[in-house]
Amino acid sequence: MPPLGSTPVYFGNFLVTSQVFHKTAHSFALVNIKPLLPGHVLVSPLRAASRLSDLDHAEVTDLFLTVQQVGKMVERVYGASSLNIAIQDGPAAGQSVPHLHTHIIPRQSADLDEQGGSDAIYGMLEGEDGDVGRHLWESSRKRPKFPTVDDSSRKSRTEPEMAEEAQKLALEMTRQHL
């Protein structure tokens, strides 16, 4: 059961209602199918606008206030000391789902030292690891003709795993002093 009611929420063409943990008048926050680091979540406008410049004033304001609120909660819940907040605004910038979204990634000191340092997150976002659209598409297929091999340590999560995290984070949002 989705944590915030039964109104369907779409991220691009993907039904993500069970992954949503926070909704506002114009935005929603959802857990990530394949987080780059623990607590990596997304905030997106409810309207499926592709680019930041497609949003009206109310949507932009709501999106960034939601990013701020969700960021505070994620930082607290995941014990982070910093956040990466990123928008890949258009396909040439690495956007893989044609629905504007903001990545919020909780960070801790030296968390990516083994991958080359804190700036390694940018390569992860732009590479296959950060291709949210591909991961959503692969998880939505009932039976792939050919098995998909993912030899990285990150594995796509199941719907129940994401729904469980969404419910936990929805509860945490109610505890957040906005």
Side-chain angles (χ1 to χ4, degrees), residues 85-115:
I85 297 172
I87 295 176
Q88 295 163 300
D89 195 21
Q95 183 181 21
S96 60
V97 175
H99 188 153
L100 180 69
H101 54 285
T102 305
H103 295 262
I104 301 176
I105 307 168
R107 300 297 304 273
Q108 297 174 357
S109 180
D111 58 1
L112 292 176
D113 279 359
E114 292 184 17
Q115 286 90 349

Side-chain angles (χ1 to χ4, degrees), residues 9-23:
V9 178
Y10 286 88
F11 177 53
N13 294 328
F14 303 103
L15 181 65
V16 295
T17 310
S18 67
Q19 298 167 39
V20 173
F21 63 88
H22 184 66
K23 277 174 59 175

Side-chain angles (χ1 to χ4, degrees), residues 107-174:
R107 300 297 304 273
Q108 297 174 357
S109 180
D111 58 1
L112 292 176
D113 279 359
E114 292 184 17
Q115 286 90 349
S118 61
D119 284 350
I121 198 74
Y122 302 111
M124 295 166 72
L125 271 169
E126 290 189 13
E128 280 190 29
D129 287 346
D131 191 344
V132 176
R134 180 176 63 89
H135 300 305
L136 284 167
W137 181 79
E138 286 175 357
S139 72
S140 69
R141 294 186 296 173
K142 299 288 186 225
R143 284 197 109 151
K145 289 183 179 181
F146 301 101
T148 304
V149 178
D150 183 0
D151 57 7
S152 71
S153 61
R154 290 177 46 245
K155 303 296 179 203
S156 293
R157 299 186 301 167
T158 65
E159 281 291 326
E161 289 170 330
M162 291 185 291
E164 181 180 333
E165 183 181 16
Q167 289 175 358
K168 172 188 158 194
L169 295 179
L171 177 62
E172 291 296 336
M173 285 301 294
T174 66

